[in-house]
Coordinates of all heavy atoms in Angstrom, one line a residue:
W1 N -1.3 9.9 -5.0 CA -2.6 10.7 -5.1 C -3.7 9.8 -5.3 O -4.1 9.4 -6.4 CB -2.5 11.6 -6.3 CG -3.7 12.5 -6.4 CD1 -4.5 13.0 -5.4 CD2 -4.2 13.1 -7.7 NE1 -5.6 13.8 -5.9 CE2 -5.4 13.9 -7.3 CE3 -3.9 13.0 -8.9 CZ2 -6.2 14.5 -8.2 CZ3 -4.7 13.7 -9.9 CH2 -5.8 14.4 -9.6
P2 N -4.4 9.3 -4.2 CA -5.6 8.5 -4.3 C -6.7 9.4 -4.5 O -6.8 10.5 -3.8 CB -5.6 7.7 -3.0 CG -4.8 8.6 -2.0 CD -3.8 9.4 -2.8
Y3 N -7.7 9.0 -5.2 CA -8.9 9.8 -5.5 C -10.0 8.9 -6.1 O -9.9 7.8 -6.3 CB -8.6 11.0 -6.4 CG -8.1 10.6 -7.8 CD1 -8.9 10.4 -8.9 CD2 -6.7 10.3 -8.0 CE1 -8.5 10.0 -10.2 CE2 -6.2 10.0 -9.2 CZ -7.2 9.8 -10.3 OH -6.6 9.4 -11.6
N4 N -11.2 9.6 -6.2 CA -12.4 9.1 -6.8 C -12.8 7.8 -6.1 O -12.9 6.7 -6.6 CB -12.1 8.7 -8.3 CG -13.4 8.5 -9.1 OD1 -14.4 9.1 -8.8 ND2 -13.3 7.6 -10.1
Y5 N -13.1 8.0 -4.8 CA -13.6 6.8 -3.9 C -15.1 6.6 -4.1 O -15.9 7.5 -4.2 CB -13.3 7.1 -2.5 CG -11.8 7.0 -2.0 CD1 -11.0 7.9 -2.2 CD2 -11.4 5.8 -1.5 CE1 -9.7 7.9 -1.8 CE2 -10.1 5.6 -1.1 CZ -9.2 6.6 -1.2 OH -7.9 6.5 -0.9
E6 N -15.5 5.4 -4.3 CA -16.9 4.9 -4.4 C -17.1 3.8 -3.4 O -16.5 2.7 -3.7 CB -17.3 4.7 -5.8 CG -17.1 5.9 -6.7 CD -17.6 5.6 -8.2 OE1 -18.0 4.4 -8.4 OE2 -17.4 6.4 -9.0
F7 N -18.0 3.9 -2.4 CA -18.2 2.8 -1.5 C -19.4 2.0 -1.9 O -20.5 2.6 -2.0 CB -18.3 3.4 -0.1 CG -17.0 3.7 0.5 CD1 -16.3 4.9 0.2 CD2 -16.3 2.9 1.4 CE1 -15.1 5.2 0.8 CE2 -15.1 3.2 2.0 CZ -14.5 4.3 1.6
E8 N -19.2 0.7 -2.0 CA -20.3 -0.2 -2.4 C -21.0 -0.8 -1.1 O -22.2 -0.9 -0.9 CB -19.9 -1.2 -3.3 CG -20.9 -2.2 -3.7 CD -20.5 -3.4 -4.6 OE1 -19.5 -3.1 -5.3 OE2 -21.1 -4.4 -4.6
Y9 N -20.2 -1.1 -0.1 CA -20.6 -1.8 1.1 C -19.6 -1.5 2.2 O -18.4 -1.7 2.1 CB -20.7 -3.3 0.9 CG -21.2 -4.1 2.0 CD1 -22.6 -3.8 2.5 CD2 -20.5 -5.0 2.6 CE1 -23.0 -4.6 3.5 CE2 -21.0 -5.8 3.7 CZ -22.2 -5.6 4.1 OH -22.8 -6.3 5.2
N10 N -20.1 -1.1 3.4 CA -19.3 -0.9 4.6 C -20.1 -1.2 5.9 O -21.0 -0.6 6.3 CB -18.9 0.6 4.6 CG -18.0 0.9 5.8 OD1 -17.6 0.1 6.6 ND2 -17.7 2.3 5.9
D11 N -19.7 -2.4 6.4 CA -20.3 -2.9 7.6 C -19.2 -3.0 8.7 O -19.3 -4.0 9.5 CB -21.0 -4.2 7.4 CG -21.9 -4.6 8.5 OD1 -22.4 -3.7 9.3 OD2 -22.1 -5.8 8.7
T12 N -18.2 -2.2 8.7 CA -17.1 -2.3 9.6 C -17.2 -1.6 10.9 O -16.5 -1.8 11.9 CB -15.8 -1.8 8.9 OG1 -16.0 -0.4 8.7 CG2 -15.5 -2.5 7.6
G13 N -18.2 -0.6 11.0 CA -18.4 0.2 12.2 C -17.5 1.5 12.1 O -17.7 2.4 12.9
H14 N -16.8 1.7 11.0 CA -16.0 2.9 10.7 C -16.7 3.6 9.6 O -17.3 3.1 8.7 CB -14.6 2.6 10.3 CG -13.8 2.0 11.4 ND1 -13.2 2.6 12.5 CD2 -13.4 0.7 11.6 CE1 -12.5 1.8 13.2 NE2 -12.6 0.6 12.7
D15 N -16.7 5.0 9.7 CA -17.2 5.8 8.6 C -16.3 5.5 7.3 O -15.2 5.2 7.3 CB -17.1 7.3 8.9 CG -18.1 7.6 10.0 OD1 -19.1 6.9 10.3 OD2 -17.8 8.6 10.8
D16 N -16.8 5.9 6.2 CA -16.2 5.7 4.9 C -14.9 6.7 4.9 O -13.9 6.2 4.3 CB -17.1 6.3 3.7 CG -18.3 5.3 3.6 OD1 -18.3 4.2 4.1 OD2 -19.1 5.7 2.7
D17 N -14.9 7.7 5.6 CA -13.7 8.6 5.6 C -12.5 7.9 6.2 O -11.3 8.3 6.0 CB -13.9 9.9 6.4 CG -15.0 10.8 5.7 OD1 -15.2 10.6 4.5 OD2 -15.5 11.7 6.2
Y18 N -12.8 6.9 7.0 CA -11.6 6.2 7.8 C -10.8 5.4 6.7 O -9.6 5.3 6.9 CB -12.2 5.2 8.8 CG -11.2 4.3 9.5 CD1 -10.4 4.9 10.5 CD2 -11.0 3.1 9.1 CE1 -9.5 4.2 11.2 CE2 -10.0 2.3 9.8 CZ -9.2 2.8 10.8 OH -8.3 2.1 11.4
F19 N -11.4 5.1 5.6 CA -10.7 4.3 4.6 C -10.2 5.1 3.4 O -9.6 4.5 2.5 CB -11.6 3.1 4.1 CG -12.1 2.2 5.2 CD1 -13.4 2.3 5.7 CD2 -11.2 1.3 5.8 CE1 -13.8 1.6 6.7 CE2 -11.7 0.5 6.7 CZ -13.0 0.6 7.3
S20 N -10.7 6.3 3.2 CA -10.4 7.1 2.1 C -9.5 8.2 2.4 O -9.6 8.8 3.4 CB -11.7 7.6 1.5 OG -12.4 8.4 2.4
S21 N -8.7 8.6 1.4 CA -7.8 9.8 1.5 C -7.9 10.4 0.1 O -8.1 9.9 -1.0 CB -6.4 9.3 1.8 OG -6.4 8.7 3.0
S22 N -7.8 11.8 0.1 CA -7.7 12.5 -1.1 C -6.7 13.6 -1.1 O -6.3 13.9 0.1 CB -9.2 13.1 -1.4 OG -9.6 14.0 -0.4
G23 N -6.2 14.0 -2.2 CA -5.2 15.1 -2.2 C -3.9 14.3 -2.2 O -3.7 13.1 -2.0
L24 N -2.7 15.1 -2.6 CA -1.4 14.5 -2.6 C -0.9 14.0 -1.3 O -1.1 14.6 -0.3 CB -0.4 15.5 -3.2 CG -0.7 15.9 -4.7 CD1 0.3 17.0 -5.1 CD2 -0.6 14.7 -5.6
I25 N -0.3 12.8 -1.3 CA 0.3 12.3 -0.1 C 1.8 11.9 -0.3 O 2.2 11.1 -1.1 CB -0.4 10.9 0.3 CG1 -1.9 11.1 0.5 CG2 0.3 10.3 1.5 CD1 -2.6 9.8 0.8
P26 N 2.7 12.9 0.2 CA 4.1 12.6 0.1 C 4.6 11.6 1.0 O 3.9 11.5 2.2 CB 4.7 14.0 0.5 CG 3.7 14.6 1.3 CD 2.3 14.2 0.9
A27 N 5.5 10.7 0.6 CA 5.9 9.6 1.4 C 7.4 9.4 1.2 O 8.0 9.8 0.2 CB 5.2 8.4 1.1
Y28 N 8.0 8.8 2.2 CA 9.4 8.4 2.1 C 9.5 7.0 2.6 O 9.2 6.6 3.7 CB 10.2 9.3 3.1 CG 11.7 9.0 3.0 CD1 12.5 9.2 1.9 CD2 12.4 8.5 4.2 CE1 13.9 8.9 1.8 CE2 13.7 8.1 4.1 CZ 14.5 8.4 2.9 OH 15.7 8.0 2.9
N29 N 10.1 6.2 1.6 CA 10.3 4.8 1.9 C 11.8 4.6 1.9 O 12.6 5.1 1.1 CB 9.7 4.0 0.8 CG 9.9 2.5 1.0 OD1 11.0 2.0 0.7 ND2 8.9 1.7 1.3
H30 N 12.3 3.8 2.8 CA 13.7 3.4 2.8 C 13.9 2.0 3.3 O 13.1 1.4 4.0 CB 14.5 4.4 3.6 CG 14.2 4.6 5.0 ND1 15.1 4.6 6.0 CD2 13.0 4.6 5.6 CE1 14.5 4.8 7.1 NE2 13.3 4.8 6.9
M31 N 15.0 1.4 2.9 CA 15.2 -0.1 3.3 C 16.7 -0.4 3.3 O 17.5 0.2 2.6 CB 14.6 -0.9 2.2 CG 14.8 -2.4 2.4 SD 13.9 -3.5 1.2 CE 15.0 -3.3 -0.2
V32 N 17.1 -1.2 4.3 CA 18.4 -1.8 4.4 C 18.2 -3.3 4.1 O 17.5 -4.0 4.6 CB 19.0 -1.6 5.8 CG1 20.4 -2.3 5.9 CG2 19.1 -0.1 6.2
E33 N 19.1 -3.7 3.2 CA 19.0 -5.0 2.7 C 20.4 -5.7 2.7 O 21.4 -5.1 2.2 CB 18.4 -5.1 1.3 CG 18.3 -6.6 0.8 CD 17.7 -6.7 -0.6 OE1 17.9 -5.8 -1.4 OE2 17.0 -7.7 -0.9
W34 N 20.5 -6.9 3.2 CA 21.7 -7.9 3.0 C 21.3 -8.8 2.0 O 20.4 -9.7 2.2 CB 22.1 -8.6 4.4 CG 23.1 -9.6 4.2 CD1 22.9 -10.9 3.8 CD2 24.5 -9.3 4.3 NE1 24.2 -11.5 3.7 CE2 25.2 -10.6 4.1 CE3 25.3 -8.3 4.6 CZ2 26.6 -10.8 4.2 CZ3 26.7 -8.3 4.8 CH2 27.3 -9.6 4.5
D35 N 22.0 -8.9 0.9 CA 21.6 -9.8 -0.2 C 22.9 -10.6 -0.6 O 23.8 -10.0 -1.2 CB 21.1 -8.9 -1.4 CG 20.7 -9.8 -2.6 OD1 20.8 -11.1 -2.5 OD2 20.3 -9.3 -3.6
D36 N 22.8 -11.9 -0.3 CA 24.0 -12.7 -0.7 C 23.3 -14.1 -1.2 O 23.5 -15.1 -0.7 CB 24.8 -13.0 0.5 CG 26.1 -13.9 0.2 OD1 26.3 -13.9 -1.1 OD2 26.7 -14.4 1.0
V37 N 22.6 -13.9 -2.3 CA 21.8 -15.0 -3.0 C 22.4 -15.2 -4.4 O 22.4 -14.1 -5.2 CB 20.4 -14.8 -3.0 CG1 19.7 -15.9 -3.7 CG2 19.8 -14.6 -1.5
N38 N 22.8 -16.4 -4.7 CA 23.2 -16.6 -6.1 C 22.3 -17.7 -6.7 O 21.9 -18.6 -6.0 CB 24.7 -17.1 -6.1 CG 25.6 -16.1 -5.6 OD1 25.6 -14.9 -6.1 ND2 26.4 -16.4 -4.7
W39 N 22.1 -17.5 -8.0 CA 21.4 -18.6 -8.8 C 22.4 -19.7 -9.2 O 23.5 -19.5 -9.7 CB 20.8 -18.0 -10.1 CG 19.5 -17.2 -9.8 CD1 19.5 -15.8 -9.4 CD2 18.2 -17.7 -9.7 NE1 18.2 -15.5 -9.3 CE2 17.3 -16.6 -9.4 CE3 17.6 -18.9 -10.0 CZ2 16.0 -16.7 -9.3 CZ3 16.2 -19.1 -9.9 CH2 15.5 -18.0 -9.5
I40 N 21.9 -20.9 -9.0 CA 22.7 -22.1 -9.5 C 21.7 -22.8 -10.5 O 20.9 -23.6 -10.0 CB 23.2 -23.0 -8.3 CG1 23.9 -22.2 -7.3 CG2 23.9 -24.2 -8.8 CD1 24.3 -23.0 -6.1
G41 N 21.8 -22.6 -11.7 CA 20.8 -23.1 -12.6 C 19.5 -22.4 -12.3 O 19.4 -21.1 -12.3
N42 N 18.5 -23.1 -12.0 CA 17.2 -22.6 -11.6 C 16.9 -22.7 -10.2 O 15.7 -22.7 -9.8 CB 16.1 -23.3 -12.5 CG 16.2 -23.0 -13.9 OD1 16.4 -21.9 -14.4 ND2 16.1 -24.0 -14.8
L43 N 17.9 -22.9 -9.4 CA 17.8 -22.9 -7.9 C 18.7 -21.8 -7.3 O 19.6 -21.3 -8.0 CB 18.2 -24.3 -7.4 CG 17.3 -25.5 -7.8 CD1 18.0 -26.8 -7.6 CD2 16.0 -25.5 -7.1

């Protein structure tokens, strides 16, 4: 839930609305990972 946007400077050529969002944003994140790392002391 991003909110309360206040723009100080915008010289990108895009309107402020391009960078701001309001209201709840549902998202789904997922990841596949291969992890075969072992610590040997501090290495």
